[in-house]
Amino acid sequence: MRFGRAPWFFIPLLALVCLGAVVALLLGGRSVTTTETAVIEAVADRYVSETGAARTDCHATPAQSAGLWLVVTCAGADGGRVEYFIDRFGDVTDRKEMKGGV
């Protein structure tokens, strides 16, 4: 048995394992530190900058789809509403606008 020198192919393998661990820790830390309040406030700020409406027009509900976390709904003055679909990292994945009236 030989001890002391590892075969050369262990070095790239070790580098890949370390890189994977770093990426997993970064994504896990981002997921854990994202709060519902911060996400709702960020989406409400986005809605206000898009429409000029009040921040109090927005509320959130849990998403029913897999892969989504929240649905932030903002009601407009004209009876329409905008829904923002948020993933677990706090990113808006989709935006759906519904016009008011019949």
Side-chain angles (χ1 to χ4, degrees):
M1 293 180 105
R2 255 182 22 163
F3 295 106
R5 285 197 153 177
W8 63 271
F9 60 86
F10 281 120
I11 294 171
L13 179 62
L14 181 64
L16 282 174
V17 168
C18 290
L19 178 66
V22 168
V23 169
L25 285 173
L26 289 175
L27 289 176
R30 183 177 172 200
S31 176
V32 168
T33 58
T34 304
T35 64
E36 291 179 0
T37 303
V39 170
I40 295 167
E41 288 179 357
V43 172
D45 289 340
R46 176 178 169 173
Y47 177 72
V48 168
S49 68
E50 289 175 355
T51 63
R55 293 180 82 224
T56 57
D57 293 339
C58 299
H59 70 280
T61 56
Q64 301 298 319
S65 300
L68 293 178
W69 180 30
L70 295 171
V71 177
V72 179
T73 305
C74 299
D78 61 353
R81 68 178 195 252
V82 180
E83 291 181 343
Y84 297 92
F85 299 92
I86 314 297
D87 66 5
R88 184 60 188 110
F89 296 111
D91 297 326
V92 176
T93 59
D94 196 14
R95 179 183 184 275
K96 182 178 176 184
E97 188 170 343
M98 291 162 275
K99 301 292 182 190
V102 179

